[in-house]
Every structure is written in structure tokens, then in C-alpha cells.
Amino acid sequence: MPSDLNKQIFGPFTVKTKYARRLLKDLSSFKYLFLSGSHAEFKNFLYSKTMVPTGEGSQKWLYYLTDYRKIKKDPFNAPLPKYIEMETTTLCNKRCHICEYIYWPKDEQVKRHLTLDEFKHVVNQIPDLRWANLTGEGSSFLNKDYPLMLKYLSDKTKASIWLVDHLSDITQEQLIQDVFPFVKGIYVSCDAATKTTYESIKAGCNFDNVVANLRAIIDYKRRHKTPFPHLTFRYVILNNNMHEMPQFLDLLNSIAEAHEWGGSSSYVEFTGLLFFPEIEHYFVDEVPQAIIKELLKRKGGIDFQFVHAEQKRNPPLERCDAWMEPYIMLPGYVLPCCSVMMSNRRPFLRHYSFGNVFEKDFKELWRGDYYSRFRKTVLDPCGAVPSLCVGCRAFQTQHRIDKYGIWDIHK
């Protein structure tokens, strides 16, 4: 959910017109898919843009007018979701300073790849899957089965597939062979505008490779006259990279015209840090007005918005819709959303998960008492805060904890 900081900076009317302009940007993508003859891809891409609650690439234009109203009335019996996020590996060869991966105590989390057979087992439990984000705490392309997962999911469901990646390791040949045929959008994790700052934050990543891959993607899209993949940039705001935010917009504008990055979801997300104690010293409580003014001078280039950039402005928990988008953490644990991730508390997440898809069918877990009660409790403004949601970095929870307490399923 975009931060209310956007309304303060751009004004409520401008924020609404931004969404309208983004809708127009997608018309070329809808036309491209429709004329390509793949009506299933067209249908699922349209669905992902209009009905997926919070996922990468979604603009949820119709979600609040349809599904959300029904679910709000009866969250206990919410229908099986048609969208999912899944962790495909917990192995990584990088040492990014703000990632929980490098702070995991020994043996706290199994480090391995999800296998193709395991992936198929999960996918086959969710009928009518229309959108998926295949990203985890590791580096996905280290998993040799990862390209096969993308292909399997695309061939079987024609779902709109999105992924998050730093684009540092992947080769241009891999992009052409393993990504472009199957993926509708990529969220590029890039937290700086210069090589020195970037490589000091994302230790082990290569800034020059990232820029070269971005140029290659734009070149591919130009040569093939395709809007895909849509590219979004996720820039995590830190006290040691905040000064490069305006320069980052300049970098992107030097690579491509604003419309060439893709459709409605192609913009820069300046995102607040989802911190835990080990990285709290990087946290920025408020974006300085001087930087905001510099960003606004870049009008006419790639669009940008703030996401959870100032947590004091987060909406209350009862407005959460992220729980409609389940996240499956290795090895198979079902969680309500991706917001509970990146908190460096894997044993806690396993303990309070709704169960494991390798032990029970996802449908059985979704309709089980724990998951059902959780959905109802989250949406109740007079209800206790579920343990999984305590301290959420996307929504305010403390006001409800103070008044109604914490709901602990294990007590």
C-alpha cells in the first residue's frame, strides 16, 4: 500500500490522476497480449492488474469494488486465493548488509533450493492460479530448477509471473532464454545510483552488470516491439543511500524513456526499510524535504512513489488486505503475506504458520480454523492483534494491542 506521504507530496488529486495515467499505460500491454492470440495470458494479465490485492504489478483497480467487499462481510469463509508468493531458495552468494540472510544464526533455517517436484506439488494444490511471485530470501537464479519452475507455471496456468531480483548475476542469454518468454514483470532491487554506494550495500553484486542488463532488456523490448517484461525499481531508503535518490532517477532516465520501462507498475518504489535489530542503525524515520524537492524536479521522467517510507503514517491493521496473498516459506510453511518476512525471525514464523503444504493440502489449511479465525481477527477493528501481525511494518498495530491485546493461537 503506498504511503500517505504520496498524498502529502503530490496532493490527493494528483495521486488519483497518477493511477489513471498508469491505467492508460497498460492499454498497449493488453493489446499486445490480445493480438498475440493467447487469450488465457490476456485474461490473467488483466486479472493481475485489477484483482490481485497487493502483489507486484497489481494496481487492484477493481478489487475493492468486488472481491474485497464480499470478503470483508465474511472473511471466515473467504474463497481460495488465485494468487500466491513462494520462496524458491534459501541459498545466496551475496552479503547484502540489510538482508536477514547474513544474520541467520547457524542451523536456524535450512539452506537449500526448492526442487521442481516440490514446486509442482504446491502449484497443483491451488486451482485457477492467475498470479505468482517466485522470490525468496536467497538468490533465485542459483537454483538450477528455477527457470524450469517459471516455464512449468507459465505452460500449466498461463499465470502472470512476477519476480524480484538484483539482476547482478544473470546473463543476457539467460534473460532471453529463461525470463522473457515467461515473466510479465521484474521488480529490480537496486538501492543506489553509483557503483561505490551500491556495492557497499549489496556486497557481492556488480553494479556494472546491473546497468548492462537494464540496457539489454530495453534493447530487447525495442527490437521485438514488446512491452514485456514490465520493470519496477525497488529502492530501499537508508541513511547511507538517501542522498542518491534523485541521482537514481537520472540514471534510469539516461537508459530509457519513461514509457519504455513498461506499463502501470513501471516506476520507482522508494521503500522504507523493513528493519530488525541488527540493521536498525540504517533506518530513516523521515525523508528530508530537500531530497523530496530534488525528486520533484525530475518530472517528465520515470514515475516514482513512496511505500512505507514513514511508518508513522501507516494505516491501521483493519485496512490490511495483504493477508489475501499467502506466502509459502521454505520448506513449505504457509504465512499470511510477505510483510512478515525480512524480519529475521524464521523460527517464530514456522511456529505461528498456518501449517505446511507438504503435510496438508493448501485448501485444507486455508479453510482450517486457525487461518479462518486469523482472517476474521485481522479485519476486526475491535479485535486483538494476531501474533503474526504484531509490529507489522506496513500497518499500525499498537493502538489495538493497547486496547484489545494480542491473540496467540498457541495459548
Side-chain angles (χ1 to χ4, degrees):
M1 177 177 290
S3 168
D4 284 344
L5 181 60
N6 296 310
K7 293 180 181 178
Q8 177 193 346
I9 296 171
F10 302 112
F13 178 75
T14 304
V15 170
K16 290 179 181 178
T17 59
K18 274 178 177 284
Y19 278 99
R21 289 200 305 271
R22 289 175 185 173
L23 173 59
L24 293 175
K25 281 184 178 182
D26 271 333
L27 293 180
S28 62
S29 298
F30 294 138
K31 180 180 177 182
Y32 180 89
L33 288 174
F34 186 79
L35 294 179
S36 71
S38 178
H39 292 169
E41 281 190 67
F42 170 81
K43 179 184 70 173
N44 287 338
F45 180 73
L46 178 62
Y47 183 91
S48 74
K49 286 292 178 181
T50 59
M51 298 300 292
V52 175
T54 61
E56 278 74 8
S58 172
Q59 299 298 304
K60 53 187 176 187
W61 290 310
L62 299 178
Y63 175 73
Y64 286 119
L65 300 176
T66 53
D67 281 10
Y68 188 67
R69 290 188 175 187
K70 298 176 184 176
I71 293 166
K72 262 281 210 186
K73 291 179 180 179
D74 189 14
F76 198 86
N77 295 306
L80 201 69
K82 299 176 182 178
Y83 22 80
I84 195 169
E85 296 189 67
M86 196 182 316
E87 188 168 58
T88 56
T89 187
T90 50
L91 288 171
C92 190
N93 56 359
K94 303 293 183 288
R95 302 288 294 176
C96 300
H97 294 173
I98 59 173
C99 181
E100 69 168 52
Y101 183 89
I102 68 171
Y103 301 101
W104 285 349
K106 186 179 179 181
D107 300 326
E108 181 176 276
Q109 167 65 40
V110 58
K111 293 183 178 181
R112 71 171 180 87
H113 297 311
L114 185 73
T115 69
L116 180 60
D117 285 341
E118 288 174 329
F119 178 76
K120 290 179 179 180
H121 177 78
V122 176
V123 169
N124 293 340
Q125 293 181 44
I126 306 175
D128 201 21
L129 188 63
R130 297 193 178 189
W131 175 94
N133 176 12
L134 307 182
T135 304
E137 299 300 322
S139 192
S140 299
F141 286 97
L142 293 178
N143 186 347
K144 64 179 178 58
D145 282 347
Y146 188 60
L148 300 176
M149 294 174 190
L150 298 176
K151 184 178 187 307
Y152 176 81
L153 186 58
S154 178
D155 290 347
K156 179 179 175 62
T157 68
K158 302 299 180 186
S160 287
I161 302 173
W162 297 73
L163 56 92
V164 182
D165 199 77
H166 45 63
L167 293 186
S168 172
D169 294 341
I170 192 169
T171 66
Q172 293 174 23
E173 291 74 20
Q174 286 176 303
L175 282 170
I176 293 171
Q177 178 179 328
D178 299 330
V179 176
F180 295 156
F182 314 115
V183 173
K184 290 296 180 289
I186 305 172
Y187 272 56
V188 183
S189 176
C190 191
D191 307 319
T194 64
K195 181 179 178 70
T196 300
T197 304
Y198 175 87
E199 293 182 1
S200 69
I201 296 169
K202 290 186 172 300
C205 290
N206 187 306
F207 181 76
D208 295 329
N209 287 351
V210 176
V211 174
N213 279 332
L214 291 177
R215 295 188 186 280
I217 293 172
I218 293 298
D219 180 65
Y220 173 90
K221 294 171 73 171
R222 286 170 177 167
R223 286 188 290 107
H224 291 82
K225 295 181 170 56
T226 174
F228 299 110
H230 290 185
L231 292 178
T232 309
F233 296 88
R234 186 167 282 157
Y235 188 114
V236 179
I237 304 169
L238 310 172
N239 55 21
N240 61 345
N241 73 355
M242 189 166 50
H243 63 288
E244 292 189 2
M245 290 163 60
Q247 192 177 347
F248 185 68
L249 297 184
D250 291 339
L251 172 65
L252 297 184
N253 290 332
S254 73
I255 295 174
E257 298 292 328
H259 70 276
E260 293 181 302
W261 295 114
S264 60
S265 56
S266 294
Y267 49 82
V268 178
E269 281 190 357
F270 289 118
T271 308
L273 176 66
L274 303 182
F275 67 88
F276 44 91
E278 290 86 348
I279 62 171
E280 191 169 0
H281 58 285
Y282 291 111
F283 180 69
V284 173
D285 185 59
E286 187 172 353
V287 181
Q289 287 298 311
I291 290 178
I292 292 174
K293 289 179 181 178
E294 284 298 314
L295 290 170
L296 291 173
K297 290 180 181 178
R298 273 68 177 177
K299 284 182 179 179
I302 188 170
D303 199 5
F304 69 91
Q305 70 178 34
F306 291 93
V307 179
H308 311 313
E310 294 183 359
Q311 293 184 13
K312 62 185 178 183
R313 301 177 187 272
N314 284 348
L317 179 62
E318 53 269 23
R319 285 175 55 189
C320 175
D321 51 15
W323 55 267
M324 277 296 298
E325 195 177 285
Y327 188 101
I328 298 181
M329 181 180 80
L330 264 174
Y333 292 94
V334 179
L335 299 168
C337 63
C338 66
S339 292
V340 300
M341 306 300 291
M342 287 298 293
S343 55
N344 198 25
R345 51 176 189 168
R346 307 282 279 204
F348 172 88
L349 296 180
R350 289 193 294 271
H351 183 64
Y352 283 99
S353 74
F354 303 118
N356 193 296
V357 288
F358 298 120
E359 298 171 2
K360 286 187 177 181
D361 186 84
F362 177 80
K363 186 184 298 185
E364 185 179 352
L365 296 175
W366 178 263
R367 293 176 177 168
D369 182 65
Y370 178 19
Y371 213 153
S372 300
R373 289 169 61 195
F374 173 88
R375 294 193 293 271
K376 186 173 182 179
T377 303
V378 166
L379 293 178
D380 183 0
C382 298
V385 173
S387 296
L388 278 169
C389 302
V390 173
C392 177
R393 281 78 57 90
F395 295 90
Q396 298 284 353
T397 60
Q398 193 58 49
H399 66 291
R400 276 175 52 178
I401 293 174
D402 291 343
K403 197 167 186 178
Y404 304 108
I406 297 171
W407 174 51
D408 189 333
I409 187 67
H410 296 301
K411 289 184 179 179

